[in-house]
Amino acid sequence: MLINDCNIVKISKADYGRIEPMWHKINRYHVEKSVHFKEQVASFGYERRMAPVLALDEIDLNTDLVEFAGKDVGYCISCVRGDVGEIESLYLDSKCRGWGLGSILLTRAIKWLKSKGCQKIQLSVGGGNEEVFDFYRKFGFEISSTVLRLK
């Protein structure tokens, strides 16, 4: 699919090496935004974060990757666990924001999760990153709980 000179492709777990550099960028962003848990976020490595995702069967995992000008600039990972769908991770390089690509990625993920029979679709937002709430609200997401963690 070609959108604004971007190509969105579905990838398998075998191609997750393409996601790792972008994941490190989003992790650095979360470290900057984190108010209370900078050290924990900074020490949370890619392998540890992706282990539960990579443990899933391919049939329960959907990953869309955005390519622009020969480079990987975004991705969305969604998965099914029983009747619950989860947007595991969504990233778009800052130079590609505002083009509607984040909306396309999220719409594709929600559509896929619904096609898998998910009765509940959820995502988590790290503390300090509340500015993304308005983006997710456009798709019908609302805060359902707030988790406080002992520091």
Side-chain angles (χ1 to χ4, degrees):
M1 173 187 294
L2 195 63
I3 300 160
N4 294 337
D5 298 324
C6 293
N7 194 29
I8 300 176
V9 296
K10 183 175 175 153
I11 64 168
S12 68
K13 291 191 291 188
D15 295 316
Y16 266 39
R18 295 174 68 180
I19 287 174
E20 186 172 358
M22 293 180 284
W23 183 89
H24 286 292
K25 288 180 183 180
I26 198 171
N27 193 54
R28 282 192 299 274
Y29 173 82
H30 286 293
V31 169
E32 291 172 17
K33 291 288 187 179
S34 181
V35 176
H36 302 289
F37 293 96
K38 286 188 186 298
E39 291 95 23
Q40 291 91 332
V41 174
S43 68
F44 194 60
Y46 175 79
E47 291 80 16
R48 185 171 157 212
R49 169 63 180 99
M50 288 298 147
V53 172
L54 293 172
L56 294 167
D57 290 334
E58 287 277 357
I59 196 165
D60 294 326
L61 187 62
N62 185 66
T63 307
D64 288 326
L65 182 85
V66 181
E67 302 167 328
F68 175 68
K71 295 182 180 174
D72 298 330
V73 296
Y75 68 87
C76 183
I77 302 171
S78 50
C79 69
V80 176
R81 292 186 176 96
D83 67 346
V84 177
E86 178 127 13
I87 309 297
E88 284 284 338
S89 186
L90 175 63
Y91 171 80
L92 194 58
D93 190 279
S94 60
K95 70 182 175 218
C96 300
R97 293 181 190 152
W99 298 357
L101 291 167
S103 294
I104 291 168
L105 287 172
L106 192 56
T107 298
R108 287 170 59 113
I110 292 168
K111 182 179 178 182
W112 180 79
L113 290 167
K114 287 181 176 180
S115 78
K116 300 298 272 181
C118 294
Q119 299 299 310
K120 181 167 80 169
I121 298 175
Q122 63 190 27
L123 56 87
S124 296
V125 174
N129 194 27
E130 291 81 4
E131 65 194 45
V132 299
F133 285 176
D134 287 339
F135 171 74
Y136 290 119
R137 281 190 178 108
K138 290 190 284 187
F139 296 88
F141 288 94
E142 288 296 344
I143 299 169
S144 66
S145 67
T146 301
V147 177
L148 302 177
R149 185 182 305 158
L150 185 61
K151 192 169 177 188

